[in-house]
Amino acid sequence: MSALSIRDVHKRFGPSEVLKGVSLEMGSGDFTVLVGPSGCGKSTLLNIIAGLERQSSGSVEIGGRTVDDIAPKDRDIAMVFQSYALYPSMTVRQNITFGMECRNVPRAQREAAVSEVVRLLQIEALLDRKPAQLSGGQRQRVAMGRALVRNPLLFLFDEPLSNLDAQLRAEMRMEIKQLHQRLGSTIVYVTHDQIEAMTLATRIAVMREGVVQQFADPETVYNRPANLFVARFMGAPPMNTLPARLEASPSGSVAVIGHGEGEIRLPVPVEVKGWIGREVVLGIRPECITEPTRHFGHAPDAVLTIAASVEMTEPTGAETIVVLRLGSERALGRVSADLRPRVNEMARFAIDTRKINLFDPATGDRIVS
Amino acid sequence: MTHTVAAETRTGRPVTFGILRRLPEHLAIWVPLLLSAGHLVSFALWTVWISFTPSTLVPVSGWVGLRNYTAVMATRNWQIAFDNLLLFGCGFVLLSLLTGLLLAVLLDQRIRGENVLRSIFLYPIALSFVVTGTVWSWLLNPGLGIQKLVNDIGWTSFRFDWLIDRDMAIWTIVIAAVWQSSGFAMALFLAGLRSVDADLIKAAQIDGAGPIRMYRRVILPTLWPITVTVVVIQLQFAITTFDLVRALTGGGPGLATQLPALVVYDLMFQRGLLARGAAAAVLMLLILLAVLLPYAGWRYLQRRQAAHA
Ligand SMILES: Nc1ncnc2c1ncn2[C@@H]1O[C@H](COP(=O)(O)OP(=O)(O)OP(=O)(O)O)[C@@H](O)[C@H]1O
Ligand SMILES: [Mg+2]
């Protein structure tokens, strides 16, 4: 039985179609992260799951039960909002117990539930304060507490950390991950933050203009993006996408970037018979272009060393981003922090050819063997 | 405009040149503003000064200390006006608050024809108080208005003669004033209701709050800053009410609807007791300050809190 299944959900606001047939299937204990550019319909989808918004067509099932005609309060869900949406006139305790108050849960039971959640989140000291007297991080915790106390089938998070500063965000991210591991809850989580998506998710759904582009585990989404949009959207700096031609060679297919003198030939890891002699888009992540002494997971035969001219370097502290020329195309590489390749000179780089992706230039879709 | 000014300053020409170029605008803004502010302040000061002189029909100089004040406060006229003001002020503010809130909550249900209804409720504000007072004086006139209508329909024993009832007449003023200004309260409350964070309502929906609990526990508590503002604006209207009463009851029957502004008018222009009238006016100003100063302090605290949060 799946914890959440969304079947072909469409949503129209007047003339504009915001969701165009979204289908997702989640198992119990899954942590699904929804990512996508602003306005692609993530919040709308979350609202439909919560029952706060009615889909134009399609259906939603939570815990094996169709909930299309069920009110939000009876869907057995809890939601954490970007603005936290704490009730400003209530104390922290009242905020946490408001749901139980609405469901007429006996007072003793409420108190027990509160004290458990409060211990879990370490907000005992805040119970009698009003939201206005809390810091951003504390408000976030209270919002989490309000969701946790319900112990629902499904948690919905809409960019819960985006109002926190970077340090607090990293802390809370860790805590959410621990909570998920500890409680085994099922979560749908919307975020703009790549790192949140990669670190938290067991599954990532990448959306664009109301269409799910790829729904897979983070590793697959990152290393084998379903199309050019996903390739460029995930990862910072984004994946290099360069025009290339495929040619046959005795040892397998090679992708050729550039022409004549400066051309670069990269063996491709997939069998692409139908594409020999045709133009493709080659995708390679910046971290797969690095200094020649690097070993990529001890797969020496996959490493190709090339010479390329360096256009610019950007030391970020943790590493140095290098802008270089591959063939005649500009690409980004990432080398160790203490390396500073000289600008406008040739330098040698190792390329991890296992992680090369090929895309159809016409449709943008990934070319699979 | 700003663009050229900036360019001139950069090229080293004096900034005053820019101000000169904008002279018409400055004249249009500052002259009327200074004139009206000067008017207001100088007449207020003049009134204060007069209130300490022995002036009667014409202003004269001289100093009588607080004599005019004690004299005014000792009159039955003023005492009744003050009591009436308390009754009228509280009744009017509470009722217009409640009516405005009720209308706002009803309009907030996203009903069809909201725009039309909103205009209708707001419409009375556009009327002069004299018009309101006159119309209500007809409506409430037992031989002419509501009572006559109901009697004519057949309910002959129906009585609605508050207008000529000494004990109830003050409530006719309340009714007319509420009719006139609850639309204003409604507009402010409606704006407040509409600006409630949509996430707050979603959270309460998920928590399972029904409509009544939603309003009582979640939405209405966010409105109290607006409520304070409405109360203060209505109170200062109540304190300075003049034309409405003039047109509706003229302060009668007897002194039943006498209010401080009427006392001022009566003393100054009908009995020719300029200094006493001025003293009464200054007393009104003090009552007004008793409302406005705490409000200003409260606003200041609010803003400081907001700045700290
Ligand atoms: N109530 C509404 N009426 C009309 N259009 C709406 C409504 N709600 C959302 N939309 C539109 O639907 C689209 C998707 O909105 P949504 O809030 O789901 O985006 P999102 O992916 O959550 O974006 P963000 O990352 O900025 O939060 C937007 O173009 C938005 O303008
Ligand atoms: Mg959103």
Side-chain angles (χ1 to χ4, degrees):
Chain A
M1 182 190 78
S2 65
L4 168 67
S5 81
I6 299 169
R7 304 226 177 86
D8 196 30
V9 163
H10 290 254
K11 175 71 186 175
R12 273 175 288 275
F13 286 114
S16 67
E17 190 166 25
V18 173
L19 295 178
K20 302 165 184 160
V22 172
S23 298
L24 295 174
E25 201 77 32
M26 283 177 60
S28 180
D30 271 355
F31 196 130
T32 301
V33 170
L34 291 179
V35 292
S38 196
C40 71
K42 306 180 293 289
S43 299
T44 305
L45 183 59
L46 223 53
N47 285 340
I48 287 173
I49 298 173
L52 298 167
E53 200 98 66
R54 171 86 202 202
Q55 65 268 35
S56 308
S57 65
S59 80
V60 176
E61 246 175 49
I62 297 174
R65 178 175 65 135
T66 305
V67 292
D68 297 334
D69 298 315
I70 293 176
K73 68 182 168 81
D74 299 320
R75 290 191 174 197
D76 204 0
I77 50 155
M79 192 155 173
V80 177
F81 297 87
Q82 177 174 5
S83 61
Y84 312 138
L86 299 178
Y87 310 121
S89 60
M90 299 185 206
T91 61
V92 167
R93 184 194 305 275
Q94 289 167 329
N95 260 284
I96 294 176
T97 55
F98 186 64
M100 289 185 279
E101 184 192 317
C102 294
R103 277 173 278 132
N104 296 318
V105 175
R107 184 168 290 273
Q109 210 172 320
R110 282 190 229 168
E111 287 307 316
V114 169
S115 56
E116 190 181 330
V117 163
V118 153
R119 199 157 357 99
L120 193 65
L121 293 168
Q122 296 160 1
I123 48 175
E124 289 101 331
L126 310 178
L127 272 177
D128 295 311
R129 292 207 211 159
K130 295 268 179 80
Q133 300 163 306
L134 302 178
S135 72
Q138 290 170 332
R139 282 180 211 179
Q140 216 286 326
R141 269 168 204 274
V142 176
M144 297 268 297
R146 190 170 63 181
L148 284 174
V149 79
R150 176 126 195 211
N151 194 17
L153 272 182
L154 184 65
F155 285 96
L156 304 172
F157 288 83
D158 196 349
E159 305 191 35
L161 303 185
S162 55
N163 284 345
L164 300 180
D165 61 50
Q167 193 186 345
L168 210 49
R169 194 184 307 180
E171 260 169 47
M172 284 309 296
R173 192 174 69 216
M174 241 66 113
E175 270 187 52
I176 291 179
K177 183 155 186 158
Q178 275 169 357
L179 275 175
H180 172 243
Q181 285 168 349
R182 199 144 110 215
L183 305 175
S185 20
T186 313
I187 299 175
V188 183
Y189 187 107
V190 170
T191 182
H192 268 121
D193 187 312
Q194 308 269 330
I195 302 174
E196 266 171 45
M198 291 301 293
T199 54
L200 291 175
T202 59
R203 308 266 276 159
I204 294 181
V206 185
M207 288 181 61
R208 176 199 194 186
E209 289 169 11
V211 180
V212 175
Q213 305 289 307
Q214 186 168 19
F215 181 42
D217 58 283
E219 145 92 35
T220 306
V221 169
Y222 192 78
N223 288 323
R224 291 193 297 282
N227 55 39
L228 276 172
F229 173 80
V230 178
R232 290 180 185 139
F233 186 78
M234 294 299 291
M239 184 185 273
N240 297 303
T241 48
L242 317 164
R245 310 182 292 291
L246 280 188
E247 288 176 8
S249 85
S251 56
S253 319
V254 288
V256 184
I257 305 169
H259 293 277
E261 191 83 336
E263 77 173 17
I264 289 193
R265 303 172 70 84
L266 300 172
V268 295
V270 283
E271 277 307 314
V272 284
K273 292 186 202 76
W275 285 84
I276 299 298
R278 291 169 65 183
E279 296 289 325
V280 295
V281 175
L282 179 142
I284 183 157
R285 295 228 170 252
E287 62 268 27
C288 297
I289 305 176
T290 185
E291 69 267 18
T293 51
R294 192 83 70 90
H295 302 288
F296 297 106
H298 303 287
D301 32 323
V303 179
L304 181 83
T305 311
I306 55 142
S309 80
V310 175
E311 283 199 341
M312 192 166 84
T313 61
E314 287 181 320
T316 64
E319 65 194 0
T320 301
I321 309 270
V322 182
V323 183
L324 48 90
R325 287 256 163 216
L326 278 188
S328 51
E329 301 298 325
R330 175 182 284 186
L332 298 181
R334 293 164 82 157
V335 301
S336 297
D338 30 352
L339 292 181
R340 296 286 150 76
R342 294 251 201 93
V343 173
N344 292 330
E345 287 183 16
M346 297 298 278
R348 295 195 70 75
F349 293 93
I351 294 185
D352 185 355
T353 57
R354 291 171 308 165
K355 296 206 176 155
I356 285 176
N357 287 285
L358 298 178
F359 300 96
D360 181 338
T363 63
D365 286 342
R366 176 189 177 77
I367 298 170
V368 288
S369 45
Chain B
M1 201 62 159
T2 28
H3 182 78
T4 47
V5 172
E8 280 154 12
T9 350
R10 220 179 302 125
T11 51
R13 265 186 263 172
V15 181
T16 45
F17 184 70
I19 291 178
L20 271 184
R21 286 254 312 252
R22 301 171 70 167
L23 193 62
E25 296 160 40
H26 286 288
L27 281 179
I29 295 169
W30 290 108
V31 173
L33 201 65
L34 286 176
L35 274 180
S36 47
H39 243 71
L40 202 75
V41 172
S42 54
F43 273 106
L45 291 177
W46 187 79
T47 307
V48 172
W49 172 67
I50 287 288
S51 74
F52 290 103
T53 67
S55 311
T56 49
L57 265 179
V58 287
V60 294
S61 55
W63 181 264
V64 297
L66 291 175
R67 209 180 67 197
N68 288 320
Y69 289 88
T70 48
V72 166
M73 287 199 283
T75 59
R76 210 168 76 87
N77 206 348
W78 174 264
Q79 285 161 0
I80 289 178
F82 190 78
D83 289 347
N84 281 343
L85 177 62
L86 281 184
L87 206 61
F88 166 66
C90 294
F92 159 67
V93 168
L94 276 180
L95 281 178
S96 70
L97 215 59
L98 287 179
T99 322
L101 189 59
L102 188 69
L103 290 176
V105 167
L106 291 179
L107 271 189
D108 190 38
Q109 309 308 311
R110 316 245 165 217
I111 45 172
R112 236 178 308 150
E114 182 194 310
N115 286 337
V116 178
L117 286 173
R118 205 174 41 207
S119 310
I120 291 176
F121 294 142
L122 273 176
Y123 189 67
I125 303 180
L127 294 179
S128 149
F129 279 107
V130 177
V131 177
T132 307
T134 310
V135 170
W136 276 97
S137 76
W138 294 335
L139 280 174
L140 294 170
N141 185 327
L144 201 65
I146 299 173
Q147 179 178 327
K148 175 127 195 325
L149 184 78
V150 177
N151 288 352
D152 287 351
I153 290 172
W155 184 2
T156 48
S157 61
F158 177 81
R159 286 286 166 271
F160 188 50
D161 52 3
W162 289 6
L163 195 65
I164 52 170
D165 181 333
R166 272 173 182 279
D167 293 325
M168 300 307 282
I170 191 77
W171 295 104
T172 61
I173 314 241
V174 171
I175 292 174
V178 166
W179 177 84
Q180 165 124 12
S181 65
S182 50
F184 166 74
M186 175 211 71
L188 287 192
F189 280 130
L190 190 59
L193 289 175
R194 290 286 154 83
S195 61
V196 172
D197 181 7
D199 285 351
L200 214 53
I201 293 168
K202 289 182 185 172
Q205 267 178 306
I206 292 177
D207 269 340
I212 294 180
R213 202 190 301 259
M214 177 86 85
Y215 273 105
R216 204 167 53 80
R217 297 291 306 277
V218 180
I219 299 179
L220 294 185
T222 65
L223 289 187
W224 73 269
I226 291 181
T227 312
V228 174
T229 306
V230 173
V231 165
V232 169
I233 293 175
Q234 307 281 51
L235 263 184
Q236 60 97 16
F237 159 71
I239 293 167
T240 54
T241 298
F242 174 74
D243 33 11
L244 181 67
V245 190
R246 274 296 284 186
L248 186 54
T249 64
L255 291 178
T257 54
Q258 189 71 307
L259 286 178
L262 285 165
V263 175
V264 174
Y265 178 79
D266 182 52
L267 287 172
M268 275 197 173
F269 303 112
Q270 282 180 323
R271 301 196 196 181
L273 295 170
L274 210 48
R276 291 213 185 158
V282 173
L283 286 175
M284 268 177 71
L285 189 68
L286 291 179
I287 301 174
L288 211 54
L289 286 179
V291 173
L292 291 180
L293 285 183
Y295 178 67
W298 177 78
R299 285 294 299 264
Y300 173 75
L301 280 184
Q302 282 249 309
R303 222 167 293 152
R304 232 184 37 179
Q305 263 178 10
H308 278 260

